[in-house]
Amino acid sequence: LVYSNRGGFSSMDLNKKVGDFMRKAVFVELGTNMKEVAELMAKEQTEILVVREKGNVEGVITEIDLFYMLKSYAFPELSGHPEDLKDIKLDKAMVAKVSKDFMTACQLFGAHPCLMIGEEDTLENAIRIMVAGGTNHLPVIGEKGDVTGTVSPMDIIKAFIE
């Protein structure tokens, strides 16, 4: 159920297609420094970047991954990092780490597949995959098998208010 602007709740259409509500994929190359990752997320207003190397998808990096990286430098006693907070400049900490160190490593094919969904799949299945997989973001695969977008809980919520 979803709240209706007419007052009360109305039923949701869980059969809407993911491709109609996904966001265009934003890519970043493996090895990009974390400062550039943060800048790209901010510029593109996205919480997820698809990480690739030489055109091959290697994983995804989300705002939560970035947050945990920042936390590990802000509170080294919680993360096992020996650095003293006063000696670390945020900008330098971000430049020192690359996306490979913090991303969720996965591949479109192979031993470590990404959790993903197709453009033609339903929002209901997107919710199921997110819940079962313990994730809040999914790469979206187009007809040709390439990553064309991403979908998040906010995208799904927006679908239900339309």
Side-chain angles (χ1 to χ4, degrees):
L1 295 177
V2 69
Y3 189 76
S4 168
N5 61 3
R6 296 180 186 167
F9 288 86
S10 61
S11 62
M12 295 182 203
D13 181 4
L14 293 173
N15 291 315
K16 293 179 180 178
K17 302 292 182 203
V18 168
D20 294 334
F21 298 96
M22 71 179 191
R23 289 185 242 176
K24 182 181 168 206
V26 180
F27 296 94
V28 64
E29 284 298 312
L30 187 66
T32 301
N33 71 55
M34 294 304 289
K35 181 175 187 290
E36 292 172 330
V37 167
E39 289 170 345
L40 184 58
M41 280 183 179
K43 177 184 171 206
E44 297 293 332
Q45 297 181 354
T46 187
E47 304 89 25
I48 181 173
L49 300 175
V50 179
V51 181
R52 60 185 174 184
E53 182 177 42
K54 298 177 185 170
N56 296 319
V57 172
E58 297 291 331
V60 296
I61 188 161
T62 69
E63 83 282 9
I64 298 300
D65 300 322
L66 188 58
F67 173 77
Y68 280 113
M69 186 279 303
L70 295 172
K71 182 185 80 166
S72 72
Y73 282 94
F75 301 100
E77 67 279 5
L78 299 178
S79 62
H81 290 281
E83 295 91 350
D84 187 352
L85 182 59
K86 66 179 174 40
D87 295 331
I88 298 171
K89 303 287 186 226
L90 182 60
D91 193 52
K92 290 187 188 251
M94 293 179 80
V95 170
K97 292 293 180 179
V98 294
S99 55
K100 183 177 182 178
D101 297 328
F102 290 95
M103 72 177 191
T104 302
C106 62
Q107 301 159 336
L108 292 185
F109 307 102
H112 304 287
C114 292
L115 290 175
M116 55 190 144
I117 194 159
E119 286 181 4
E120 294 299 313
D121 215 328
T122 64
L123 295 176
E124 179 178 15
N125 284 337
I127 293 168
R128 287 180 184 187
I129 293 169
M130 287 179 185
V131 170
T135 186
N136 290 325
H137 301 88
L138 294 173
V140 179
I141 307 302
E143 289 179 9
K144 297 178 183 177
D146 54 338
V147 176
T148 57
T150 61
V151 66
S152 72
M154 185 53 68
D155 301 318
I156 294 170
I157 289 167
K158 288 177 183 177
F160 293 130
I161 59 175
E162 289 188 2

